[in-house]
Amino acid sequence: MIYRKTHRVLVQGITGKQGTFWSEKMMACGTRIVAGVNPKRAGQTHIGVPVFASAQQAMEREPFDIAVMFIPPAMAKDAARDAIEAGARMIVILTEHIPAFDVMAIHEAANEHGARIVGPNTAGLVTPGEGFVGIMPGHNTNIFQPGDVGVISRSGSLGTLVCLNLTRAGIGQSAFLGIGGDPMIGTTTRDALEALDRDPRTRAIVMVGEIGGSMEEQAAAYAATMQRPVVAFIAGRSSPPGKKMGHAGAIVTGNAGSYASKRAALEAAGVTVVDTPSEIPTVLRRRMAAEVAAAE
């Protein structure tokens, strides 16, 4: 699920305002966008990219690995199924507020065809120095710089803040994985953690979590087996129980998904949990230095 410059990208909804803007930014920093989809403009070329009536038609002419969706909620299910059935290996679903039954249908299709879903309601993927897919400011070198720290976040804005703080501290990133904020996402925090743990370019990992659900607790179980240092920030420490805060998945019922539960699980697994994002660079440097010392 880590974006690489060798990946070929399809943009569904490329001719819209957001599709156009972000496609231009993606291409400017190296992303290989090979085709777009808009049934009403099939056969045309838009911002230098051929446009097709469907993902399946695009795959026949311009084979792609990743599809990214700039598609309204009511049309998201059909667009995702089109890309999945065309043979996309990964679908980056930026759309939020997709009806729950449609999301379930998307996941069912992805499981059937062996496709990876990132999202819904994701900000996308960034690999500094190679490109990005989605709506993260991967083109902004003040925020993203190549390095060896992987970053995982449900939130695009919090993920951006963390990467900005890292870059300002002189710490580059190996990859940013935005997993999405909806309750039914296709890639979990643990999935992303495992992917970065397998990545030879990643030396340490920053995990940006939120209250609600059990993804951080599940990720903690895997973090306990890791050699790479992990630093985490959990948003929502002051949120009242039973009240939905921010993302659709950020709701706490009793002790399940609470800040205390997540922090306790992560710390028991050897993860350093900070109180504020600004602490991450200092704590990360300390953990990485300790790792080097232990190896000597």
Side-chain angles (χ1 to χ4, degrees):
M1 73 188 71
I2 298 173
Y3 169 77
R4 297 298 183 206
K5 61 184 179 182
T6 54
H7 286 142
R8 293 167 61 87
V9 178
L10 170 79
V11 180
Q12 295 174 282
I14 192 171
T15 61
K17 182 178 180 181
Q18 293 299 318
T20 298
F21 176 85
W22 286 106
S23 292
E24 290 179 329
K25 296 299 184 185
M26 285 186 265
M27 290 189 292
C29 70
T31 304
R32 296 179 67 192
I33 296 178
V34 299
V37 173
N38 181 340
K40 296 180 180 179
R41 296 182 59 176
Q44 300 181 16
T45 298
H46 181 70
I47 57 172
V49 177
V51 180
F52 297 89
S54 69
Q56 297 193 49
Q57 290 184 13
M59 184 65 86
E60 294 171 1
R61 297 284 299 277
E62 296 288 348
F64 58 89
D65 308 295
I66 300 172
V68 57
M69 292 173 46
F70 292 87
I71 300 293
M75 303 169 63
K77 179 182 73 171
D78 289 342
R81 289 185 64 94
D82 180 29
I84 291 167
E85 291 170 3
R89 293 161 51 192
M90 181 161 60
I91 320 295
V92 179
I93 304 179
L94 309 173
T95 314
E96 59 180 328
H97 306 305
I98 302 173
F101 281 110
D102 289 358
V103 176
M104 293 170 67
I106 291 170
H107 289 318
E108 181 180 12
N111 289 336
E112 180 183 348
H113 291 269
R116 161 72 64 180
I117 299 293
V118 179
N121 193 14
T122 176
L125 311 171
V126 183
T127 301
E130 296 194 39
F132 74 100
V133 178
I135 55 173
M136 288 294 289
H139 58 287
N140 190 329
T141 55
N142 292 318
I143 299 172
F144 289 98
Q145 283 289 328
D148 56 10
V149 175
V151 180
I152 303 164
S153 181
R154 288 200 214 178
S155 164
S157 56
L158 278 174
T160 299
L161 174 62
V162 167
C163 291
L164 174 64
N165 288 342
L166 290 173
T167 294
R168 285 178 172 175
I171 302 173
Q173 306 86 44
S174 57
F176 170 84
L177 306 180
I179 62 173
D182 274 14
M184 295 184 289
I185 56 175
T187 298
T188 66
T189 303
R190 175 166 178 157
D191 293 334
L193 192 62
E194 291 185 23
L196 289 172
D197 192 32
R198 293 191 299 266
D199 177 32
R201 306 184 192 183
T202 299
R203 182 179 156 204
I205 297 167
V206 175
M207 180 194 308
V208 184
E210 299 180 10
I211 59 167
S214 60
M215 284 198 298
E216 289 79 7
E217 287 93 337
Q218 293 167 4
Y222 181 80
T225 70
M226 292 174 56
Q227 298 299 313
R228 290 174 171 84
V230 181
V231 176
F233 168 72
I234 307 298
R237 178 172 53 172
S238 302
S239 300
K243 184 177 178 62
K244 189 178 290 186
M245 306 291 290
H247 287 132
I251 185 168
V252 179
T253 304
N255 291 324
S258 68
Y259 178 87
S261 171
K262 292 178 184 296
R263 181 161 192 156
L266 289 167
E267 289 181 336
V271 176
T272 304
V273 182
V274 299
D275 293 326
T276 64
S278 62
E279 299 174 65
I280 291 173
T282 300
V283 172
L284 189 63
R285 283 190 190 281
R286 187 186 309 138
R287 288 291 308 269
M288 294 172 76
E291 179 197 28
V292 171
E296 292 177 347

